[in-house]
Amino acid sequence: MSVQLRKIDEQVMVITGATSGIGLTTARMAAEQGAKLVLAARNGEALDQLAGELRRKGTQVATVTADVGKAEDVARIGSTAMERFGRIDTWVNNAGISIFGRNEDVALEDMQRLFQTNYWGVVHGSLEAVKHMKARGGGAIINLGSELSERAVPLQGLYSASKHAVKAFTDALRMELEKEGAPLAVTLIKPAAIDTMFTVHAKNYMEKEPALPPPIYAPEVVANAIIYAAQHRKRDVYVGGASKAIASSGFAMPRALDKFMNASMFKQQQSDVPSSPNRKDALHEFDPRNELRQRQGMDDKHHVAESSAYTSVSLRANKIMPALLGAGALFAAWKLIQSPSLRRNHLRSAF
């Protein structure tokens, strides 16, 4: 059965993790384009504030205070959408969290909590979406993976593992739905480093505050990709040429990439600021001080790319063009590993 996706201004869209970063940016962008929204997050006050903002601009919004790691909470998201709007056209599984630190230093309860959000949140959301969409003509399921869905990085081993798991679940679900002819599109979005509250919300086991390795992209680049995938059937979307380069080089030259990461990623993922013993994170509980912020804001040393030529072209190109772009990304990755000057310049020219 063919998949027919509605235009965004005709859609009912569910977004988890809607009060910060990519989720917040996507909610605002979808609202501007006329979508009806069902927004979910752990912070009810922030949800109410966001809903008020969007309603004043004419958007129809329902909110659900929910922890996506709990199946019963995710079921309430689905039932709220059906009760309020009668259908779900796109479900965006965006909620996520990270942990910075060596694997052997991370407490088991923190590992389990991360997987409860990053992996089980996607599982719960995807299956809830399938249940409702199958019965009402189909739709799009959009899962947030990462450039680390296909390539692990040191000091974020648990996050990398969870995003590997998200990719495997998403790919398997897509094949199963295709086999039975279900009219659903299943997309995995793989962002590179994005200027959100990612490092602020993360649990930190390092002596220094966590930092994002360059190149860094704006959250609007991801939101644009999500909005596009909600209307056009896409299997995978790499957000930022750097994401494609990491995946390609991890496949083609894994040992070389190991050596590059050992030489660079331990330093690039730690800032110059000591981590406070009173530091708060959002792994187990949200911090209301950091809600309704799309970006953390980078200093002068870290350029933020407001667009990605690779992603823009790959979204709209035929099958041959992404392959050619992937080859270009692989060449760029090889040049990066070979060239110390490029490493020193922190890949300021994002592709």
Side-chain angles (χ1 to χ4, degrees):
M1 185 180 296
S2 63
V3 177
Q4 300 293 328
L5 301 177
R6 297 172 184 263
K7 298 296 184 183
I8 198 68
D9 61 358
E10 301 173 352
Q11 286 203 19
V12 176
M13 177 180 285
V14 172
I15 304 173
T16 68
T19 57
S20 180
I22 292 169
L24 176 59
T25 307
T26 304
R28 286 170 169 161
M29 188 176 292
E32 288 176 359
Q33 297 184 31
K36 300 177 180 68
L37 299 177
V38 181
L39 306 178
R42 289 179 292 172
N43 188 340
E45 292 183 5
L47 280 172
D48 289 343
Q49 183 178 343
L50 176 59
E53 168 196 322
L54 299 179
R55 285 170 184 150
R56 286 191 293 273
K57 298 178 181 179
T59 303
Q60 296 184 53
V61 185
T63 63
V64 185
T65 303
D67 181 340
V68 296
K70 299 177 181 178
E72 60 272 21
D73 281 16
V74 176
R76 285 194 296 105
I77 300 172
S79 62
T80 299
M82 299 308 297
E83 290 167 6
R84 175 69 184 275
F85 299 114
R87 69 173 195 273
I88 301 168
D89 299 301
T90 295
W91 187 302
V92 183
N93 287 305
N94 164 73
I97 193 72
S98 190
I99 297 173
F100 284 81
R102 292 164 54 89
N103 285 328
E104 62 194 89
D105 295 335
V106 179
L108 180 60
E109 64 176 340
D110 287 347
M111 295 182 180
Q112 293 171 334
R113 176 63 214 187
L114 180 144
F115 260 79
Q116 201 66 31
T117 299
N118 291 11
Y119 174 68
W120 286 107
V122 168
V123 172
H124 296 154
S126 296
L127 296 180
E128 184 71 14
V130 168
K131 179 177 71 175
H132 294 296
M133 289 178 176
K134 267 188 178 182
R136 290 169 175 80
I141 298 171
I142 301 175
N143 293 338
L144 268 291
S146 167
E147 63 183 343
L148 306 184
S149 289
E150 298 178 61
R151 169 69 211 194
V153 66
L155 299 181
Q156 284 194 84
L158 271 298
Y159 181 79
S160 300
S162 72
K163 293 302 183 178
H164 275 58
V166 165
K167 178 184 184 301
F169 172 80
T170 303
D171 289 346
L173 178 64
R174 183 189 303 110
M175 289 185 285
E176 291 165 2
L177 292 170
E178 287 177 348
K179 178 65 175 178
E180 66 179 82
L184 280 81
V186 180
T187 301
L188 183 64
I189 305 287
K190 304 174 188 176
I194 306 296
D195 180 18
T196 65
M197 301 303 288
F198 182 83
T199 58
V200 177
H201 286 169
K203 182 71 177 282
N204 186 32
Y205 280 83
M206 305 184 301
E207 293 183 357
K208 300 292 183 66
E209 276 294 298
L212 293 174
I216 301 170
Y217 298 84
E220 287 80 2
V221 184
V222 191
N224 274 316
I226 292 171
I227 297 296
Y228 187 88
Q231 302 171 90
H232 306 86
R233 189 175 186 178
K234 301 293 292 185
R235 185 183 191 279
D236 298 283
V237 179
Y238 293 90
V239 178
S243 177
K244 182 62 176 180
I246 288 291
S248 299
S249 55
F251 174 79
M253 44 187 181
R255 281 298 294 146
L257 192 57
D258 286 351
K259 293 181 180 297
F260 169 68
M261 286 190 170
N262 274 333
S264 63
M265 288 299 173
F266 285 86
K267 181 177 181 180
Q268 288 186 350
Q269 292 185 95
Q270 299 186 67
S271 71
D272 297 330
V273 180
S275 185
S276 169
N278 299 319
R279 183 184 193 274
K280 293 186 177 181
D281 60 74
L283 181 62
H284 294 276
E285 296 181 1
F286 64 83
D287 183 351
R289 297 174 303 173
N290 294 321
E291 298 297 292
L292 294 186
R293 289 184 61 184
Q294 293 181 191
R295 303 192 187 197
Q296 175 184 347
M298 297 291 114
D299 58 30
D300 293 339
K301 298 179 181 179
H302 296 86
H303 170 73
V304 175
E306 298 295 329
S307 63
S308 166
Y310 171 85
T311 301
S312 296
V313 172
S314 66
L315 282 173
R316 295 164 177 82
N318 59 27
K319 295 181 180 179
I320 296 175
M321 184 58 70
L324 295 175
L325 289 171
L330 177 59
F331 177 74
W334 180 81
K335 292 294 289 182
L336 168 65
I337 291 172
Q338 296 295 316
S339 174
S341 63
L342 279 176
R343 293 197 295 269
R344 285 195 300 269
N345 289 331
H346 291 160
L347 288 178
R348 290 181 64 87
S349 179
F351 51 95

